[in-house]
Amino acid sequence: MPSLKTWQLIAGSAALGLALSVATVSAAGPWDSGQRKAERDRVASWGRTGGADHGAGPQPQAAPSAPGVLGAVGPGVPRGQAAAASGGLAAALGPLLADRALGTVRAASVVDTATGQVLYEAGARDAMTPASTVKIATGAAALAALGPEHRIRTTVAQGAAPGQIVLVGGGDPSLTARKKAPAGSGGSLVALAADTAQALKAAGTASVGLGYDDSLYTGPARHPIGVNPNLALVTALTADEGRPDESVSGPVDRSEDPSKDAARAFAALLAERGITVTGEPARAKAPQGAQPLASTPSTPLAGLVERMLTNSDNDIAEALARQTALASGQPASFEGAEKAVAARLASLGVDTAASRFADGSGLNRADKVSAGLLTGLLAEAADPQRPELRPVLTGLPVAGFTGTLRARNAGASPAAGLLRAKTGTLTGVNSLAGTVVDSSGRLLAFAFLTSNSPGPEGAEKALDKLAAAVAATS
């Protein structure tokens, strides 16, 4: 039997913890730290699965896989029972979808991930602006192109000029210059400086000129929406997402030249380690085929996808879209990423007709996807035959516990702890797409897309009611 990667084994095991039989769930007792006590006892020896980038605090285990759900309720759901469930969802969701708070255009899709059966749909094939729910597509495309264990490297190479070294950006969105790395961080300029200084000293070099190479990405670095505190310039060399403060997520004014700022930070770190850097760092091209003096790897791609989804991180999203382009032989630009993401999703077998992936983050209103495409991708991520896509599920915020859903569907909501979903918000656009374990133990994928809403607060509450209804209706 072929060996599986460690993360697959852990994810497959812990996924069973949430999908228990109806009898077991009923007897499990109250919630304790985000999961039922019976589930906690059962999975205690299995350890954690994906979701390492959800942040501190209590959280449930990863979303269950289709086999775990079916194993709990028996070999499949009888046709009559499935039809009844579909009718129940229609009765529950129809009136909620008519809420004026959702705006004038709405689309919905609910799918049983184990069978692929469509349980409810309304305008499910209509292409709509998805806002940040497009990050589901970005993550799935990147994982399909590169695999969950891929790491992005930032390197230092000998420069073309005598006595010069070049800091070469590989596009790592987790790269940090902080001496105390943030939780879940990846590439470290501190570690890279230490290794570089050691290599230079071993060669008898104590003084260098420093160049920096961010040429891996092409096209405009500025997002089409212009200057925005939700996104830095998209460059192949950026430390701490160009943030000037200690924040790790959320809006903040960004550096006007993140590549040069990263190089300056690297020069200061080298100086602290006894290497004199002469002059200001300057843009330079690393010689083709130059052997690196040192390198630092990013967080594995699985962790980057999780962090992107949990925190709705636009910088990671745009980086992953470009990495997908590079892996697909396309230019690492907005246009190249658009073509690459569409092609990778089509290769997964989902219907991409009328879709457009103008960016990776969802900030661009030119993005267009359907509710059916989103539930199709979520179902693919739940497929045990596609374990490489599992981070698309484990990275989704958990209702009432983590990320952008920490305060939504919390407390006594039937969806609390059972629902994992990606939010999406632009002016007049609100969306929610994810998975939920319903009352009969099935793992369902859902997507709700709306536009022309009168305000975000009312729309979010209406979307949360729809998601809770999916969780409560069997």
Side-chain angles (χ1 to χ4, degrees), residues 438-469:
D438 74 0
S439 57
S440 65
R442 296 178 303 172
L443 181 66
L444 308 183
F446 66 87
F448 301 110
L449 304 177
T450 73
S451 63
N452 303 323
S453 64
E457 184 176 351
E460 288 178 1
K461 289 181 178 178
L463 287 170
D464 289 346
K465 289 179 182 178
L466 284 163

Side-chain angles (χ1 to χ4, degrees), residues 414-415 436-439 467-474:
V436 66
V437 179
D438 74 0
S439 57
V470 176
T473 304
S474 59

Side-chain angles (χ1 to χ4, degrees), residues 69-276:
V69 175
L70 292 178
V73 300
V77 179
R79 186 181 300 271
Q81 183 178 337
S86 180
L89 273 176
L93 298 182
L96 294 174
L97 201 61
D99 191 331
R100 293 181 179 179
L102 293 174
T104 60
V105 183
R106 305 104 181 219
S109 174
V110 182
V111 173
D112 185 331
T113 64
T115 65
Q117 181 184 11
V118 175
L119 301 179
Y120 180 82
E121 62 179 10
R125 292 170 182 79
D126 297 342
M128 297 177 62
T129 300
S132 277
T133 55
V134 83
K135 290 183 175 76
I136 293 172
T138 302
L143 289 164
L146 294 161
E149 296 186 11
H150 177 76
R151 292 176 183 261
I152 305 164
R153 292 191 173 272
T154 305
T155 62
V156 175
Q158 292 284 2
Q164 181 193 52
I165 61 172
V166 180
L167 177 64
V168 184
D172 175 11
S174 68
L175 185 67
T176 180
R178 296 173 185 170
K179 295 178 182 178
K180 184 177 180 181
S185 67
S188 169
L189 283 179
V190 178
L192 185 62
D195 290 345
T196 302
Q198 183 178 11
L200 290 172
K201 289 176 181 178
T205 301
S207 178
V208 293
L210 177 62
Y212 61 92
D213 185 348
D214 61 358
S215 63
L216 185 64
Y217 291 173
T218 59
R222 181 79 69 188
H223 191 282
I225 63 174
V227 178
N228 189 289
N230 292 294
L231 179 67
L233 288 170
V234 186
T235 80
L237 179 61
T238 302
D240 300 300
E241 299 184 339
R243 296 174 179 273
D245 56 16
E246 295 300 308
S247 65
V248 294
S249 64
V252 67
D253 291 337
R254 310 302 180 88
S255 166
E256 282 299 313
D257 194 344
S259 296
K260 189 163 190 173
D261 284 350
R264 284 172 171 161
F266 186 66
L269 290 167
L270 284 175
E272 291 176 7
R273 286 153 182 79
I275 300 297
T276 300

Side-chain angles (χ1 to χ4, degrees), residues 311-373:
N311 296 325
S312 199
D313 193 304
N314 300 306
D315 299 278
I316 294 178
E318 297 303 345
L320 294 186
R322 278 163 171 70
Q323 294 296 318
T324 302
L326 290 169
S328 305
Q330 293 286 346
S333 62
F334 283 106
E335 291 183 359
E338 178 177 354
K339 295 176 182 178
V341 168
R344 289 292 175 177
L345 297 183
S347 73
L348 294 175
V350 296
D351 183 6
T352 59
S355 297
R356 186 182 175 191
F357 307 96
D359 68 2
S361 61
L363 291 172
N364 196 329
R365 290 177 180 271
D367 290 326
K368 299 295 177 185
V369 305
S370 67
L373 179 141

